[in-house]
């Protein structure tokens, strides 16, 4: 990461604004205790492979994490691992997802957790997502969660029935606004929720479980003041953000689908326990669609990261590299829906190649006596885009513009002074590599073959016009790089030397 002092252009740039889901508008970003920033993002449930929608969320917050650090903030980024108590369908009567998977696969629950945590980290590394500062697991914070439930009960917002503790939503809403984040009224929520039946223990139909009584066979259970059980999913984020970032911190993030239930309940729990909405800014990333349809397992149009990389899903024409996918995601603003299609992915692949090629050219182009290009203005526009709610697509468009200029300098059509070239190199690489987190990828065999074939054609043309010096140079340079050319009747082939 680049921790250098901010470039001069930043002193005249507009300040950072963030779209806050709480106020439903862009707001000036003011940390509670600058230069420190507390950031909490809801992490994955490690009972199966991480899906692409989640990857988009974590790539978006990686951009935010990298950028905040670049402009000088010291960020403590907490992203949890949900390894306990996440129920099917987010209701209270389902089966624990992790236990269910464990029974299916004849594994110990923590074996499932370990396997998918390792896989998740691997996928994040492939996408060049920086690890968070702290990655707490729910199962390691049972004591904190029990303590939080006790406090909520003491304040009178929770009640116990037969070993299960429920949050009393209607009572909470008498003093507070339960729908503050979703913008929905309690009456409307009640109307849209099924009525309680005779089997139900809870008092109100919107009440949700903070602690759940474990039935005898339940694989993951812990002792508590209310008997053996396990914590509710919403509670872990409240307890762990509180532990590592305090009662009030700067940014809380997650996918947009978390607004109506998970984040709404998180806020209710923290307010009930500590009289504080835990975060000043709530940031939400939008959904993925495939050919215009919502990505979902039931529609058969949801693919896993490895299916996307290898191109093994029926909807994909071919595989796309992790950097292509990362770049594709950053080319859309995090608050817009992002549509996957072969066409769009292929365009991203070409676009990324163009930006990477320009980065390589930067080290080779020669400065001239005058500049036809205003580098400080480019720099300012890149920062202005990022300061406008992390508008990566606009900043990427600026890099495309710069790439065009780099190419025409290389072609001798435009020129740049040595000082401007240095500044251009710095800003271009800073955004491409450090802020957008893109990396050079190992060329695939297919891509390599394509590149060598181009050189073989050029050599053939040189020989045809009797330019044997160029033809020999191409062959010798390829040999130096480890590739041997074989001339035969059928034309020229190559092998590794
Ligand atoms: Zn959460």
């Amino acid at each position: 990461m680049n921790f250098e002092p901010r470039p001069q252009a930043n002193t005249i740039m507009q300040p950072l604004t963030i779209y806050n889901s709480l106020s439903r508008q862009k707001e000036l970003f003011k940390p509670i205790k600058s230069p420190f920033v507390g950031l909490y993002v809801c992490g994955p449930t490690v009972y199966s492979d991480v899906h692409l929608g989640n990857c988009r969320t974590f790539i978006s917050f990686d951009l935010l994490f990298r950028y905040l650090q670049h402009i000088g903030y010291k960020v403590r980024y907490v992203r949890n691992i949900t390894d306990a108590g996440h129920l099917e369908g987010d209701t209270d009567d389902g089966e624990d997802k992790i236990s269910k998977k464990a029974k299916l696969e004849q594994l110990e629950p923590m074996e499932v957790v370990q396997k998918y945590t390792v896989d998740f980290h691997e996928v994040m590394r492939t996408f060049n997502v920086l690890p968070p500062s702290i990655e707490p697991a729910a199962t390691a914070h049972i004591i904190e969660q029990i303590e939080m439930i006790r406090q909520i009960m003491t304040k009178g917002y929770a009640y116990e029935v037969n070993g299960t503790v429920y949050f009393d939503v209607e009572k909470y809403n008498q003093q507070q606004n339960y729908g503050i984040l979703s913008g929905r009224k309690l009456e409307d929520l009640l109307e849209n929720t099924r009525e309680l039946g005779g089997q139900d223990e809870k008092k109100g139909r919107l009440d949700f479980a903070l602690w759940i009584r474990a039935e005898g066979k339940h694989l993951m259970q812990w002792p508590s003041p209310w008997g053996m059980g396990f914590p509710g999913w919403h509670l872990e984020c409240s307890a762990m953000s509180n532990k590592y970032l305090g009662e009030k911190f700067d940014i809380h993030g997650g996918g947009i689908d978390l607004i109506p239930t998970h984040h709404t309940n998180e806020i209710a729990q923290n307010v009930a326990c500590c009289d504080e909405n835990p975060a000043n800014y709530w940031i939400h990333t939008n959904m993925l669609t495939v050919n215009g349809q919502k990505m979902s397992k039931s529609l058969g149009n949801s693919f896993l990261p490895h299916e996307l990389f290898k191109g093994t899903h029926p909807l994909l024409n071919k595989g796309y590299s992790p950097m292509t996918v990362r770049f594709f995601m950053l080319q859309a603003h995090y608050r817009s829906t992002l549509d996957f299609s072969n066409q769009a992915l292929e365009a991203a692949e070409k676009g990324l190649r163009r930006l990477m090629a320009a980065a390589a050219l930067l080290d080779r182009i020669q400065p001239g006596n005058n500049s036809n290009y205003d580098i400080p203005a480019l720099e300012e526009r890149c920062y202005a885009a990022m300061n406008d709610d992390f508008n990566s697509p606009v900043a990427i468009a600026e890099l495309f513009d710069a790439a065009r200029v780099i190419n025409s300098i290389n072609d001798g059509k435009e020129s740049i002074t040595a000082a401007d070239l240095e500044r251009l190199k710095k800003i271009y690489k800073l955004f491409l590599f450090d802020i957008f987190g893109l990396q050079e990828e190992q060329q695939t065999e297919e891509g390599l073959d394509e590149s060598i074939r181009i050189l073989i054609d050029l050599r053939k043309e040189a020989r045809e016009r009797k330019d044997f010096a160029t033809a020999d140079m191409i062959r010798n340079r390829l040999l130096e790089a480890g590739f041997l050319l074989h001339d035969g009747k059928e034309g020229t082939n190559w092998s590794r030397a």
Side-chain angles (χ1 to χ4, degrees), residues 463-481:
R463 286 169 78 165
E464 279 165 6
R465 59 171 193 270
K466 304 213 183 314
D467 179 0
F468 297 112
T470 302
D472 286 348
M473 186 194 75
I474 292 173
R475 192 191 54 203
N476 293 337
R477 292 284 294 274
L478 277 169
L479 190 62
E480 277 168 36

Side-chain angles (χ1 to χ4, degrees), residues 40-43 80 82 233-238 240 252-254 258 262-263 266 282:
Y40 188 94
V41 174
C42 294
N80 65 302
T82 295
W233 169 42
H234 315 305
L235 188 73
E236 67 175 272
C237 289
S238 286
M240 294 192 288
H252 194 310
L258 299 182
H262 183 58
H263 286 169
E266 256 191 67
W282 286 77

Side-chain angles (χ1 to χ4, degrees), residues 58-74:
F58 304 135
I59 287 172
S60 301
F61 283 100
D62 186 52
L63 174 74
L64 191 141
F65 182 40
R66 285 167 182 268
Y67 188 67
L68 288 175
Q69 290 186 88
H70 169 65
I71 59 174
Y73 290 118
K74 301 200 177 324

Side-chain angles (χ1 to χ4, degrees), residues 162-367:
N162 299 324
T164 294
V165 181
Y166 293 98
F167 189 93
D168 191 334
V169 172
E170 281 163 78
K171 183 165 179 199
Y172 172 81
N173 199 63
Q174 286 164 11
Q175 310 292 325
Q176 304 286 343
N177 178 6
Y178 177 70
I180 190 165
L181 184 64
S182 66
R184 287 152 88 178
K185 287 207 175 74
L186 194 77
E187 302 78 64
D188 299 338
L189 290 170
L190 283 168
E191 216 162 273
N192 291 314
T193 311
R194 71 169 178 86
E195 274 182 56
L196 291 177
Q199 301 290 309
D200 284 298
E201 301 172 334
K202 56 188 186 184
K203 293 196 274 188
R205 59 179 97 162
L206 291 172
D207 295 356
F208 57 91
L210 300 173
W211 185 264
I212 300 147
R213 168 187 68 249
E215 303 302 339
K217 300 191 301 288
H218 203 95
L219 288 169
M220 285 179 133
Q221 47 178 293
W222 292 267
S224 79
W226 317 284
M228 294 300 287
F230 55 97
W233 169 42
H234 315 305
L235 188 73
E236 67 175 272
C237 289
S238 286
M240 294 192 288
S241 66
N242 186 302
K243 172 161 176 150
Y244 295 108
L245 298 171
E247 288 180 4
K248 189 89 179 174
F249 52 93
D250 300 295
I251 305 171
H252 194 310
I256 198 168
D257 53 319
L258 299 182
I259 291 178
T261 309
H262 183 58
H263 286 169
T264 289
N265 290 350
E266 256 191 67
I267 292 174
Q269 289 163 164
N270 284 82
V271 172
C273 169
C274 317
D275 302 313
E276 286 276 18
N277 179 323
N280 279 333
Y281 303 85
W282 286 77
I283 300 183
H284 293 96
T285 54
N286 214 324
M287 291 182 314
L288 294 181
T289 56
V290 184
N291 301 319
Q293 266 189 318
K294 191 182 172 204
M295 189 182 265
S296 88
K297 267 186 196 151
S298 55
L299 291 171
N301 68 352
S302 97
F303 26 80
L304 294 169
H306 69 86
E307 292 177 304
L308 187 55
F309 302 153
K310 293 187 188 129
T312 49
H313 193 277
L315 282 172
L316 297 164
N317 290 346
K318 59 175 216 145
Y320 301 93
S321 75
M323 282 305 110
T324 297
V325 179
R326 181 177 173 113
F327 179 65
F328 174 65
M329 290 184 175
L330 295 178
Q331 269 192 295
H333 189 260
Y334 72 88
R335 282 194 288 119
S336 316
T337 55
L338 175 62
D339 189 46
F340 270 79
S341 68
N342 284 291
Q343 212 183 359
L345 283 161
E346 272 162 38
E349 191 175 47
K350 283 201 190 103
L352 178 61
R353 217 181 280 160
R354 197 152 73 234
L355 291 185
M356 285 296 180
L361 267 185
L362 269 176
D363 293 324
R364 299 215 299 271
I365 52 180
Q366 295 300 317

Side-chain angles (χ1 to χ4, degrees), residues 10 16 23 45 48 62 75 160 169 184 192 208 298 401 425 436 442 461 479:
N10 289 28
L16 175 63
S23 61
T45 301
S48 65
D62 186 52
V75 185
E160 186 223 331
V169 172
R184 287 152 88 178
N192 291 314
F208 57 91
S298 55
D401 235 26
K425 255 186 215 179
F436 297 141
Q442 283 250 309
E461 278 172 31
L479 190 62

